[in-house]
Amino acid sequence: MFHSHLDSLNEEDLEDTYCSIEIQAAFILSSCVTFFGGLIILVFFRIILKIAKKWQSIKHSGAVLKLFSSGRSGLNPLRRFYFYRVFHDRIELLLSAQTFVGQVLVILVFVLSIGSLIIYFINSTDLTGMCSTSEDRTLTVDLSFNAFFSFYFGLRFWAADDKIKFWLEMNSIVDIFTVPPTFISYYLKSNWLGFRFLRALRLLELPKILQILHVIKSSNSVKLSKLMSIVLSTWFTAAGFLHLTFPLPSLFGQVENSGDPWLKGRNSQSMSYFESIYLVTATMSTVGFGDVVAKTSLGRTFIVFFTLGSLILFANYIPEMVELFTNRRKYTKPYEAIKGKKFIVVCGNITIDSVTAFLRNFLRHRSGEINTEIVFLGEEPPSLELETLFKCNLSFTTFVCGSALKFEDLKRVSVESAEACLILANSLCSDLHAEDISNIMRVLSIKNYNSHTRVIIQILQSHNKAFLSKIPTWNCSAGDNIICFAELKLGFIAQGCLVPGLCTFLTTLFIEQNQKVFPKHSWQKYFLNSLKNKILTQRLSDAFTGMTFPEVCRLCFVKLHLMLIAIQHKSGFHNCRSLILNPPAQVKLDKDTLGFFIAESSQAVKRAFFYCSHCHKDVHNPELIEKCGCKTGSREELTGPAMVVVKSSTSCISECQDSAREQESSLSIASLKNRGVMVSDTPEDSDQLDSSGMFHWCRSTPLDKVVLKRTDKSKHEFRDHIVACVFGDAHSALVGLRNFVMPLRASNYTRQELKDIVFIGPLEYFHREWRFLRNFPQIYIMPGSALYTGDLHAVNIEQCSMCAVLAAPSKPLSSQILVDTENIMATLNIQSLRVSGPTQRPSEPEAKAVPTFSKHDGKRRYQQIPILTELKNPSNIHFIEQIGGLDGALKGASLHLSTSFSTGTVFSGNFLDSLLATAFYNYHVLELLQMLVTGGISSQMEQYLVKEKHYGFHESCATILSGRARCKLGLLSLDKTILSDIKPRKTFGQLFCGSLDNYGILCVGLYRVMDDGEHSLENKRFVITRPSNEFHLLPSDLVFCAIPFSTTCYKTEEIPYKLENVPSAQTLDDITNVMAMAPESPEQLPKVSPVAEKTSQHLSSRVYPS
């Protein structure tokens, strides 16, 4: 239509229709003179002001000059007047859109700008550059709009502090090049388009307007609106430039309509605004159909530069807009909870690594029978890798984009109907405290939304657990659980320092081995077979009701081939239960007792539920023990072996705790009386314990009293001590060394059995940790580094019982391989130290001395320092294997299949992620693990200590006995301890029954020397978890045992001397739990009756509040 209309006009009509060059020059010059003239004036006044300030002789430079300056308000004379100051502040408040009037003003300016742009679109459909002979209807409307823009421009100019900077802003340039030509058009009665297309740049204000109107709220919506405004404004502005009209000699028109000025329009072409938009769109999309192209040199030059920018714009913004738009619909739809269908909600650290690990651990508990759907609540849309993972598990996973901190998002995932809400933590983050606080806030939000929702949370630092216990609706008895990485990780390492190999023994009970390997040596076969055993729970049959724990444990081991290690005992005072490891014979099983087993599968432990003393009496094959139809028992009252979480109030928890302590106290006193032990209330030499009776305690010790100096090595000749290498600085995150010290100061070890703990690390770091350690006895600090051999020698590391290399605090690194650099370097440095000379014990015959080296085919055998290294990245295990020179390692295998792990010299806490799924399916297993590695603290005890109710029990000797009289894990030799009296003991089954019947000792595993012939120069040992009943023993085997507190494991005639001068690695065959359980010298041996020889010498203790 545009071309036909143009062709119908003759040359005379064109001369009358098109504006003259003088008129078009007036439009252009009005904007150019306004812009450059104003800029020159502002720069001139700025220069005058600087000159006036430089020359103090020039007075009264004028407040008007300072009005246009960029100085502060205090330097402007006009702003000293009250009216000016108030007016300026109100204008600033108005323009900031913080008030209702300001918001209306900003919205009105945007709406009028869009209206002016629409008028430009309407006028562009007519002949460009037309001089109207009659009045244009849109001219008056556009004039009123621009009059308002002029007023708004004046307000912005008045409020601006830096006038020059304001003059060069994009919105100011738009107003300068669009407002003056409108007034010229009205005066000349000629409607020329000119630069009015610049009004399209006002579309960049669209996100701000939508936020003021509360149309968009989420970050994705804001981002989408910003991208869309950039694309639209660029699109319309570029099309307007191609449609721009220039005053050219001999011919008037646009860039394409006018042609090149040096060719006098000979290459011009007719192009409407719509065709300009079409050309810009084809250019941005890189399609280029060729039907509409730029023919002029100016147009083609513009297209060249615009193409470069449009490639970036179209390639980045358009796909991102599409992704945001589709994901907004895809991941914001609410999850539809179906009645009767179980599901859980997982939130927190939702990444490809965390989700992969969680799914692997969660699904292995119900392999082949997935009946619980997983709803992931992530704060950001999933990445491409994570989205692919969700698609692979589409049948039981759903992703919803939202935050657990918002009630509307919790409602969208129906958290009130979920079985539980699991919160994942990022263990590799650099700010551990911030990560914990954010997860605790998620717990608060969930509990505020629905107080009955079960929450299982991962916490990185142990001191942050106190915040969760203070939440009113937090209820451990209802299934709420805390998995503290620092507490469990350092607890495992501490147990490995107390008992060599125990760290590996406990870890194997909670890891899953699915990798196919082919063992090269016999010891590898034994170790791999033991990895099949796990901690499992099962309700016990009513046939065991009334029997003692040793009787039930022996029956399960012999007849059912099951190893029962602990039970959940029901209190006789109140209807509550407490977990007891290897309880004494005074504890009798109640109906519906929960048992904890070490077994290979859940099918195997069901034998303990189906067992019937009447029907299975003559059954000798345990696999034939199945559910019978006998009605003499009461098993039909049970619905099945499924776990049931019983919800109770806080008052019930308090009663359960009090009654549990009362019953444990009575059991402990009764047990001690039956063994002929006199209980004294005020012993002369008593231990000092904390107010709970769980840990050894002392008065607060100043830090400077425990700091060691390298020059004073002779003053602190440590023997049989524990060395802990710590890395950190004054600003690094706290590791939580209290979690490492507490198991080493558990009260079920006597004061004489405690080992000195020597920390090596930066002193400025220990200044921050010391407030958590100052009440534990026998702790010393050596300022320095484990990377320096001199510091290691200063703490007499050659005579230590164990050296633990703790992982450095998390730091932001480019590669996760480098997170263990300091640990590996320290291990390399320590492994280079060898004990090569014989050491004799004092006051001992020379013939009985235990050498630290021996002859082996004419070669001297050296002893390495016992070491336990923590790795954050399990894939770095090959560095440790190379340092140890372990040729028998399984190539390409994971950390848990390595030789270093099997020998107990390396630990990694990556398996702790699997405890989240374990806690969901069976939180009792998590409680048992916490009790084993932390020195006896359980979730109920934590609640009890937080509420500080223990202060009322200080004077009760029975309370202290109940806190101390708990089993401890240790190693026993088959030759040098009371186990040597067990006859016969050729197999593990014989040893298990004999030790349980005679001493109440529960044997759970072996620590065996590798049978590698000449390659076994270090006499390295590996762990065997729960050997079979027919497993043959070797004389050199050491036995992992759960030893009652009141049992002394040395024979009366062979109490050894305290091992002070011999490294514990050389004397494993002579010790019980790698701790000196006898007095320091023969002169100090007490004379006791044979009956009391198997009891503890420290039964009463003074108690101090913690």
PDB file of all heavy atoms in Angstrom, residues 574-601:
ATOM      1  N   HIS A 574       8.234 -46.615  84.086  1.00  0.00           N
ATOM      2  CA  HIS A 574       7.350 -45.916  83.149  1.00  0.00           C
ATOM      3  C   HIS A 574       7.421 -46.635  81.816  1.00  0.00           C
ATOM      4  O   HIS A 574       8.320 -47.422  81.544  1.00  0.00           O
ATOM      5  CB  HIS A 574       7.755 -44.447  82.990  1.00  0.00           C
ATOM      6  CG  HIS A 574       7.668 -43.671  84.264  1.00  0.00           C
ATOM      7  ND1 HIS A 574       6.496 -43.161  84.754  1.00  0.00           N
ATOM      8  CD2 HIS A 574       8.639 -43.321  85.164  1.00  0.00           C
ATOM      9  CE1 HIS A 574       6.719 -42.521  85.893  1.00  0.00           C
ATOM     10  NE2 HIS A 574       8.015 -42.607  86.159  1.00  0.00           N
ATOM     11  N   ASN A 575       6.462 -46.347  80.974  1.00  0.00           N
ATOM     12  CA  ASN A 575       6.389 -47.017  79.677  1.00  0.00           C
ATOM     13  C   ASN A 575       7.286 -46.306  78.666  1.00  0.00           C
ATOM     14  O   ASN A 575       6.827 -45.610  77.772  1.00  0.00           O
ATOM     15  CB  ASN A 575       4.940 -47.023  79.179  1.00  0.00           C
ATOM     16  CG  ASN A 575       4.774 -47.885  77.945  1.00  0.00           C
ATOM     17  OD1 ASN A 575       5.608 -48.749  77.673  1.00  0.00           O
ATOM     18  ND2 ASN A 575       3.711 -47.639  77.204  1.00  0.00           N
ATOM     19  N   CYS A 576       8.598 -46.450  78.810  1.00  0.00           N
ATOM     20  CA  CYS A 576       9.552 -45.883  77.860  1.00  0.00           C
ATOM     21  C   CYS A 576      10.735 -46.829  77.746  1.00  0.00           C
ATOM     22  O   CYS A 576      10.906 -47.732  78.568  1.00  0.00           O
ATOM     23  CB  CYS A 576      10.013 -44.491  78.285  1.00  0.00           C
ATOM     24  SG  CYS A 576      10.981 -44.474  79.788  1.00  0.00           S
ATOM     25  N   ARG A 577      11.540 -46.635  76.714  1.00  0.00           N
ATOM     26  CA  ARG A 577      12.615 -47.564  76.422  1.00  0.00           C
ATOM     27  C   ARG A 577      13.941 -46.819  76.309  1.00  0.00           C
ATOM     28  O   ARG A 577      13.985 -45.663  75.907  1.00  0.00           O
ATOM     29  CB  ARG A 577      12.337 -48.325  75.122  1.00  0.00           C
ATOM     30  CG  ARG A 577      11.061 -49.163  75.172  1.00  0.00           C
ATOM     31  CD  ARG A 577      10.780 -49.864  73.856  1.00  0.00           C
ATOM     32  NE  ARG A 577       9.565 -50.652  73.923  1.00  0.00           N
ATOM     33  CZ  ARG A 577       9.506 -51.908  74.334  1.00  0.00           C
ATOM     34  NH1 ARG A 577      10.624 -52.513  74.724  1.00  0.00           N
ATOM     35  NH2 ARG A 577       8.371 -52.568  74.359  1.00  0.00           N
ATOM     36  N   SER A 578      15.015 -47.514  76.652  1.00  0.00           N
ATOM     37  CA  SER A 578      16.368 -46.973  76.531  1.00  0.00           C
ATOM     38  C   SER A 578      17.251 -48.013  75.860  1.00  0.00           C
ATOM     39  O   SER A 578      17.066 -49.220  76.034  1.00  0.00           O
ATOM     40  CB  SER A 578      16.934 -46.600  77.909  1.00  0.00           C
ATOM     41  OG  SER A 578      16.936 -47.735  78.761  1.00  0.00           O
ATOM     42  N   LEU A 579      18.213 -47.544  75.083  1.00  0.00           N
ATOM     43  CA  LEU A 579      19.086 -48.424  74.322  1.00  0.00           C
ATOM     44  C   LEU A 579      20.273 -48.831  75.187  1.00  0.00           C
ATOM     45  O   LEU A 579      20.945 -47.968  75.778  1.00  0.00           O
ATOM     46  CB  LEU A 579      19.547 -47.707  73.057  1.00  0.00           C
ATOM     47  CG  LEU A 579      20.112 -48.547  71.921  1.00  0.00           C
ATOM     48  CD1 LEU A 579      19.915 -47.821  70.603  1.00  0.00           C
ATOM     49  CD2 LEU A 579      21.592 -48.815  72.120  1.00  0.00           C
ATOM     50  N   ILE A 580      20.561 -50.134  75.268  1.00  0.00           N
ATOM     51  CA  ILE A 580      21.653 -50.653  76.090  1.00  0.00           C
ATOM     52  C   ILE A 580      22.502 -51.585  75.232  1.00  0.00           C
ATOM     53  O   ILE A 580      21.986 -52.506  74.600  1.00  0.00           O
ATOM     54  CB  ILE A 580      21.141 -51.405  77.330  1.00  0.00           C
ATOM     55  CG1 ILE A 580      20.145 -50.546  78.121  1.00  0.00           C
ATOM     56  CG2 ILE A 580      22.290 -51.800  78.233  1.00  0.00           C
ATOM     57  CD1 ILE A 580      19.542 -51.244  79.312  1.00  0.00           C
ATOM     58  N   LEU A 581      23.816 -51.345  75.223  1.00  0.00           N
ATOM     59  CA  LEU A 581      24.762 -52.210  74.532  1.00  0.00           C
ATOM     60  C   LEU A 581      25.260 -53.286  75.484  1.00  0.00           C
ATOM     61  O   LEU A 581      25.756 -52.985  76.571  1.00  0.00           O
ATOM     62  CB  LEU A 581      25.944 -51.383  74.014  1.00  0.00           C
ATOM     63  CG  LEU A 581      27.095 -52.162  73.374  1.00  0.00           C
ATOM     64  CD1 LEU A 581      26.656 -52.811  72.072  1.00  0.00           C
ATOM     65  CD2 LEU A 581      28.299 -51.250  73.149  1.00  0.00           C
ATOM     66  N   ASN A 582      25.090 -54.563  75.097  1.00  0.00           N
ATOM     67  CA  ASN A 582      25.546 -55.703  75.901  1.00  0.00           C
ATOM     68  C   ASN A 582      25.152 -55.535  77.364  1.00  0.00           C
ATOM     69  O   ASN A 582      26.002 -55.444  78.256  1.00  0.00           O
ATOM     70  CB  ASN A 582      27.056 -55.853  75.776  1.00  0.00           C
ATOM     71  CG  ASN A 582      27.563 -57.130  76.434  1.00  0.00           C
ATOM     72  OD1 ASN A 582      26.809 -58.088  76.656  1.00  0.00           O
ATOM     73  ND2 ASN A 582      28.842 -57.156  76.794  1.00  0.00           N
ATOM     74  N   PRO A 583      23.853 -55.510  77.654  1.00  0.00           N
ATOM     75  CA  PRO A 583      23.416 -55.310  79.038  1.00  0.00           C
ATOM     76  C   PRO A 583      23.802 -56.506  79.914  1.00  0.00           C
ATOM     77  O   PRO A 583      24.041 -57.606  79.424  1.00  0.00           O
ATOM     78  CB  PRO A 583      21.900 -55.179  78.909  1.00  0.00           C
ATOM     79  CG  PRO A 583      21.558 -55.851  77.625  1.00  0.00           C
ATOM     80  CD  PRO A 583      22.722 -55.650  76.725  1.00  0.00           C
ATOM     81  N   PRO A 584      23.861 -56.300  81.239  1.00  0.00           N
ATOM     82  CA  PRO A 584      24.254 -57.386  82.148  1.00  0.00           C
ATOM     83  C   PRO A 584      23.149 -58.428  82.297  1.00  0.00           C
ATOM     84  O   PRO A 584      22.039 -58.269  81.774  1.00  0.00           O
ATOM     85  CB  PRO A 584      24.519 -56.650  83.465  1.00  0.00           C
ATOM     86  CG  PRO A 584      23.672 -55.418  83.387  1.00  0.00           C
ATOM     87  CD  PRO A 584      23.658 -55.023  81.938  1.00  0.00           C
ATOM     88  N   ALA A 585      23.460 -59.476  83.050  1.00  0.00           N
ATOM     89  CA  ALA A 585      22.519 -60.585  83.211  1.00  0.00           C
ATOM     90  C   ALA A 585      21.301 -60.185  84.018  1.00  0.00           C
ATOM     91  O   ALA A 585      20.285 -60.888  83.983  1.00  0.00           O
ATOM     92  CB  ALA A 585      23.219 -61.772  83.884  1.00  0.00           C
ATOM     93  N   GLN A 586      21.365 -59.066  84.749  1.00  0.00           N
ATOM     94  CA  GLN A 586      20.212 -58.626  85.526  1.00  0.00           C
ATOM     95  C   GLN A 586      19.092 -58.085  84.641  1.00  0.00           C
ATOM     96  O   GLN A 586      17.950 -57.949  85.086  1.00  0.00           O
ATOM     97  CB  GLN A 586      20.628 -57.540  86.519  1.00  0.00           C
ATOM     98  CG  GLN A 586      21.441 -58.047  87.697  1.00  0.00           C
ATOM     99  CD  GLN A 586      22.839 -58.440  87.295  1.00  0.00           C
ATOM    100  OE1 GLN A 586      23.375 -57.925  86.316  1.00  0.00           O
ATOM    101  NE2 GLN A 586      23.433 -59.373  88.034  1.00  0.00           N
ATOM    102  N   VAL A 587      19.400 -57.741  83.385  1.00  0.00           N
ATOM    103  CA  VAL A 587      18.392 -57.217  82.465  1.00  0.00           C
ATOM    104  C   VAL A 587      17.673 -58.378  81.795  1.00  0.00           C
ATOM    105  O   VAL A 587      18.299 -59.208  81.136  1.00  0.00           O
ATOM    106  CB  VAL A 587      19.039 -56.305  81.410  1.00  0.00           C
ATOM    107  CG1 VAL A 587      17.998 -55.836  80.405  1.00  0.00           C
ATOM    108  CG2 VAL A 587      19.696 -55.111  82.083  1.00  0.00           C
ATOM    109  N   LYS A 588      16.369 -58.417  81.977  1.00  0.00           N
ATOM    110  CA  LYS A 588      15.557 -59.456  81.342  1.00  0.00           C
ATOM    111  C   LYS A 588      14.685 -58.817  80.269  1.00  0.00           C
ATOM    112  O   LYS A 588      14.201 -57.701  80.427  1.00  0.00           O
ATOM    113  CB  LYS A 588      14.694 -60.158  82.388  1.00  0.00           C
ATOM    114  CG  LYS A 588      15.514 -60.961  83.395  1.00  0.00           C
ATOM    115  CD  LYS A 588      14.616 -61.743  84.332  1.00  0.00           C
ATOM    116  CE  LYS A 588      15.440 -62.569  85.309  1.00  0.00           C
ATOM    117  NZ  LYS A 588      14.592 -63.367  86.222  1.00  0.00           N
ATOM    118  N   LEU A 589      14.495 -59.563  79.207  1.00  0.00           N
ATOM    119  CA  LEU A 589      13.782 -59.043  78.052  1.00  0.00           C
ATOM    120  C   LEU A 589      12.288 -59.000  78.298  1.00  0.00           C
ATOM    121  O   LEU A 589      11.715 -59.921  78.910  1.00  0.00           O
ATOM    122  CB  LEU A 589      14.081 -59.871  76.810  1.00  0.00           C
ATOM    123  CG  LEU A 589      15.313 -59.447  75.992  1.00  0.00           C
ATOM    124  CD1 LEU A 589      16.583 -59.677  76.801  1.00  0.00           C
ATOM    125  CD2 LEU A 589      15.383 -60.193  74.687  1.00  0.00           C
ATOM    126  N   ASP A 590      11.674 -57.925  77.826  1.00  0.00           N
ATOM    127  CA  ASP A 590      10.229 -57.774  77.910  1.00  0.00           C
ATOM    128  C   ASP A 590       9.600 -58.182  76.580  1.00  0.00           C
ATOM    129  O   ASP A 590      10.287 -58.458  75.592  1.00  0.00           O
ATOM    130  CB  ASP A 590       9.864 -56.327  78.235  1.00  0.00           C
ATOM    131  CG  ASP A 590      10.458 -55.881  79.553  1.00  0.00           C
ATOM    132  OD1 ASP A 590      10.394 -56.670  80.513  1.00  0.00           O
ATOM    133  OD2 ASP A 590      11.007 -54.767  79.609  1.00  0.00           O
ATOM    134  N   LYS A 591       8.316 -58.163  76.571  1.00  0.00           N
ATOM    135  CA  LYS A 591       7.596 -58.445  75.345  1.00  0.00           C
ATOM    136  C   LYS A 591       7.786 -57.304  74.351  1.00  0.00           C
ATOM    137  O   LYS A 591       7.848 -56.151  74.734  1.00  0.00           O
ATOM    138  CB  LYS A 591       6.108 -58.621  75.673  1.00  0.00           C
ATOM    139  CG  LYS A 591       5.247 -58.958  74.459  1.00  0.00           C
ATOM    140  CD  LYS A 591       3.793 -59.102  74.871  1.00  0.00           C
ATOM    141  CE  LYS A 591       2.924 -59.393  73.665  1.00  0.00           C
ATOM    142  NZ  LYS A 591       1.485 -59.500  74.036  1.00  0.00           N
ATOM    143  N   ASP A 592       7.923 -57.662  73.078  1.00  0.00           N
ATOM    144  CA  ASP A 592       8.071 -56.678  71.996  1.00  0.00           C
ATOM    145  C   ASP A 592       9.369 -55.878  72.126  1.00  0.00           C
ATOM    146  O   ASP A 592       9.422 -54.691  71.838  1.00  0.00           O
ATOM    147  CB  ASP A 592       6.872 -55.730  71.983  1.00  0.00           C
ATOM    148  CG  ASP A 592       6.727 -55.021  70.629  1.00  0.00           C
ATOM    149  OD1 ASP A 592       7.215 -55.563  69.625  1.00  0.00           O
ATOM    150  OD2 ASP A 592       6.131 -53.932  70.606  1.00  0.00           O
ATOM    151  N   THR A 593      10.433 -56.537  72.546  1.00  0.00           N
ATOM    152  CA  THR A 593      11.737 -55.883  72.671  1.00  0.00           C
ATOM    153  C   THR A 593      12.385 -55.737  71.294  1.00  0.00           C
ATOM    154  O   THR A 593      12.349 -56.650  70.482  1.00  0.00           O
ATOM    155  CB  THR A 593      12.657 -56.692  73.593  1.00  0.00           C
ATOM    156  OG1 THR A 593      12.076 -56.735  74.897  1.00  0.00           O
ATOM    157  CG2 THR A 593      14.040 -56.056  73.690  1.00  0.00           C
ATOM    158  N   LEU A 594      12.988 -54.583  71.053  1.00  0.00           N
ATOM    159  CA  LEU A 594      13.691 -54.335  69.805  1.00  0.00           C
ATOM    160  C   LEU A 594      15.155 -54.744  69.962  1.00  0.00           C
ATOM    161  O   LEU A 594      15.834 -54.275  70.882  1.00  0.00           O
ATOM    162  CB  LEU A 594      13.596 -52.861  69.420  1.00  0.00           C
ATOM    163  CG  LEU A 594      14.280 -52.463  68.110  1.00  0.00           C
ATOM    164  CD1 LEU A 594      13.567 -53.100  66.921  1.00  0.00           C
ATOM    165  CD2 LEU A 594      14.310 -50.944  67.959  1.00  0.00           C
ATOM    166  N   GLY A 595      15.623 -55.596  69.075  1.00  0.00           N
ATOM    167  CA  GLY A 595      17.006 -56.058  69.112  1.00  0.00           C
ATOM    168  C   GLY A 595      17.829 -55.484  67.980  1.00  0.00           C
ATOM    169  O   GLY A 595      17.316 -55.227  66.884  1.00  0.00           O
ATOM    170  N   PHE A 596      19.121 -55.276  68.251  1.00  0.00           N
ATOM    171  CA  PHE A 596      20.072 -54.771  67.263  1.00  0.00           C
ATOM    172  C   PHE A 596      21.042 -55.892  66.909  1.00  0.00           C
ATOM    173  O   PHE A 596      21.719 -56.427  67.796  1.00  0.00           O
ATOM    174  CB  PHE A 596      20.831 -53.563  67.817  1.00  0.00           C
ATOM    175  CG  PHE A 596      19.963 -52.357  68.046  1.00  0.00           C
ATOM    176  CD1 PHE A 596      19.145 -52.270  69.165  1.00  0.00           C
ATOM    177  CD2 PHE A 596      19.944 -51.321  67.131  1.00  0.00           C
ATOM    178  CE1 PHE A 596      18.349 -51.168  69.381  1.00  0.00           C
ATOM    179  CE2 PHE A 596      19.147 -50.207  67.340  1.00  0.00           C
ATOM    180  CZ  PHE A 596      18.343 -50.135  68.460  1.00  0.00           C
ATOM    181  N   PHE A 597      21.104 -56.216  65.624  1.00  0.00           N
ATOM    182  CA  PHE A 597      21.883 -57.349  65.166  1.00  0.00           C
ATOM    183  C   PHE A 597      22.972 -56.903  64.191  1.00  0.00           C
ATOM    184  O   PHE A 597      22.831 -55.879  63.508  1.00  0.00           O
ATOM    185  CB  PHE A 597      20.988 -58.372  64.452  1.00  0.00           C
ATOM    186  CG  PHE A 597      19.925 -58.989  65.327  1.00  0.00           C
ATOM    187  CD1 PHE A 597      18.689 -58.377  65.476  1.00  0.00           C
ATOM    188  CD2 PHE A 597      20.172 -60.176  65.990  1.00  0.00           C
ATOM    189  CE1 PHE A 597      17.713 -58.939  66.272  1.00  0.00           C
ATOM    190  CE2 PHE A 597      19.192 -60.756  66.791  1.00  0.00           C
ATOM    191  CZ  PHE A 597      17.958 -60.138  66.927  1.00  0.00           C
ATOM    192  N   ILE A 598      24.041 -57.678  64.119  1.00  0.00           N
ATOM    193  CA  ILE A 598      25.009 -57.598  63.035  1.00  0.00           C
ATOM    194  C   ILE A 598      24.742 -58.796  62.138  1.00  0.00           C
ATOM    195  O   ILE A 598      25.013 -59.945  62.518  1.00  0.00           O
ATOM    196  CB  ILE A 598      26.455 -57.612  63.554  1.00  0.00           C
ATOM    197  CG1 ILE A 598      26.714 -56.404  64.441  1.00  0.00           C
ATOM    198  CG2 ILE A 598      27.437 -57.622  62.392  1.00  0.00           C
ATOM    199  CD1 ILE A 598      28.123 -56.340  64.985  1.00  0.00           C
ATOM    200  N   ALA A 599      24.180 -58.539  60.972  1.00  0.00           N
ATOM    201  CA  ALA A 599      23.766 -59.619  60.071  1.00  0.00           C
ATOM    202  C   ALA A 599      23.912 -59.140  58.640  1.00  0.00           C
ATOM    203  O   ALA A 599      24.165 -57.960  58.365  1.00  0.00           O
ATOM    204  CB  ALA A 599      22.333 -60.051  60.361  1.00  0.00           C
ATOM    205  N   GLU A 600      23.738 -60.090  57.705  1.00  0.00           N
ATOM    206  CA  GLU A 600      23.924 -59.782  56.291  1.00  0.00           C
ATOM    207  C   GLU A 600      22.680 -59.252  55.620  1.00  0.00           C
ATOM    208  O   GLU A 600      22.773 -58.496  54.645  1.00  0.00           O
ATOM    209  CB  GLU A 600      24.424 -61.036  55.550  1.00  0.00           C
ATOM    210  CG  GLU A 600      25.815 -61.493  55.952  1.00  0.00           C
ATOM    211  CD  GLU A 600      26.312 -62.630  55.088  1.00  0.00           C
ATOM    212  OE1 GLU A 600      25.574 -63.022  54.153  1.00  0.00           O
ATOM    213  OE2 GLU A 600      27.423 -63.141  55.336  1.00  0.00           O
ATOM    214  N   SER A 601      21.500 -59.638  56.074  1.00  0.00           N
ATOM    215  CA  SER A 601      20.280 -59.219  55.396  1.00  0.00           C
ATOM    216  C   SER A 601      19.139 -59.112  56.389  1.00  0.00           C
ATOM    217  O   SER A 601      19.182 -59.687  57.486  1.00  0.00           O
ATOM    218  CB  SER A 601      19.907 -60.208  54.286  1.00  0.00           C
ATOM    219  OG  SER A 601      19.582 -61.474  54.834  1.00  0.00           O
TER     220      SER A 601
END
